[in-house]
């Protein structure tokens, strides 16, 4: 078991040492379309996740090497304390599960869904230029009384 944990640590450290570590840690990031879709949050957060997992695994391997019994729960609690409780021990546990839920078996994280829906939103004005012209002329007619409520009513009608 100690050897397996050391291999996981080694693989994760190797991925962190890459030029763009997020490309090694996000599932499918070798594809340019997926890499382009990775937000700044994904790129930074996946590196933090990996570091926290490595910390917890180090705690486990150190205790195992000295013959001291330790549960995974206790290792995550200690890793959380090492990070000045900036991250909860349950979060570390969940991140470790996340990295193992991929079917490829190469210890990669899936992209987060944070911000993806707003990034893919397409303006109705971009698709129909006549709609944009209608809106501008409508707005200019009564500029003094233009409110967000009136605009949203016009757009939704």
């Amino acid at each position: 078991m100690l050897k397996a944990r050391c291999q996981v640590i080694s693989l994760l450290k190797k991925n962190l040492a890459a030029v763009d570590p997020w490309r090694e840690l996000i599932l499918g990031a070798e594809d340019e379309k997926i890499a382009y879709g990775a937000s700044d949050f994904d790129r930074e957060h996946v590196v933090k996740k990996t570091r926290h997992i490595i910390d917890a695994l180090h705690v486990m391997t150190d205790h195992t090497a000295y013959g001291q019994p330790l549960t995974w729960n206790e290792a995550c609690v200690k890793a959380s304390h090492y990070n000045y409780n900036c991250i909860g021990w349950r979060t570390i546990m969940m991140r470790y599960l996340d990295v193992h839920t991929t079917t490829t078996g190469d210890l990669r994280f899936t992209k987060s869904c944070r911000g993806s829906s707003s990034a893919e939103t397409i303006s109705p004005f971009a698709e129909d230029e006549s709609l944009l012209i209608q809106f501008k002329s409508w707005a200019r007619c009564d500029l003094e009384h233009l409110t967000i409520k009136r605009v949203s009513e016009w757009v939704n009608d």
Side-chain angles (χ1 to χ4, degrees), residues 4-157:
R5 287 187 188 118
C6 289
Q7 287 174 340
V8 171
I9 291 171
S10 175
L11 178 63
L12 292 175
K13 280 185 172 183
K14 184 184 112 195
N15 290 344
L16 281 177
V19 176
D20 289 326
W22 62 271
R23 281 190 180 263
E24 302 296 324
L25 296 168
I26 295 177
L27 185 64
E30 61 274 356
D31 180 13
E32 286 302 316
K33 289 181 182 177
I34 293 173
Y36 179 77
S39 66
D40 290 338
F41 174 82
D42 284 326
R43 294 174 186 197
E44 295 169 12
H45 203 65
V46 75
V47 172
K48 289 179 185 177
K49 288 179 182 182
T50 304
R51 288 186 179 133
H52 294 140
I53 290 171
I54 290 172
D55 289 344
L57 287 170
H58 270 299
V59 170
M60 282 294 281
T61 56
D62 291 347
H63 277 68
T64 304
Y66 292 116
Q68 300 170 342
L70 187 74
T71 65
W72 177 242
N73 186 11
E74 293 169 332
C76 290
V77 169
K78 287 188 179 216
S80 174
H81 290 303
Y82 292 158
N83 288 291
Y84 306 104
N85 292 323
C86 292
I87 183 128
W89 60 271
R90 287 188 178 131
T91 305
I92 296 172
M93 289 178 76
M94 295 305 295
R95 289 177 176 174
Y96 188 71
L97 287 174
D98 286 346
V99 81
H100 282 289
T101 57
T102 60
T103 56
T104 59
D106 59 354
L107 299 176
R108 291 180 174 214
F109 294 95
T110 56
K111 278 187 355 180
S112 85
C113 296
R114 179 178 271 182
S116 60
S117 60
S118 62
E120 296 172 1
T121 304
I122 298 171
S123 169
F125 300 115
E127 296 173 356
D128 187 3
E129 190 174 336
S130 66
L131 184 62
L132 179 63
I133 293 169
Q134 288 175 7
F135 175 72
K136 284 182 177 180
S137 63
W138 172 81
R140 287 184 187 134
C141 288
D142 197 10
L143 196 56
E144 293 177 11
H145 301 102
L146 192 64
T147 62
I148 294 173
K149 182 179 177 184
R150 289 191 65 207
V151 169
S152 63
E153 288 173 356
W154 186 88
V155 169
N156 292 326
D157 286 341

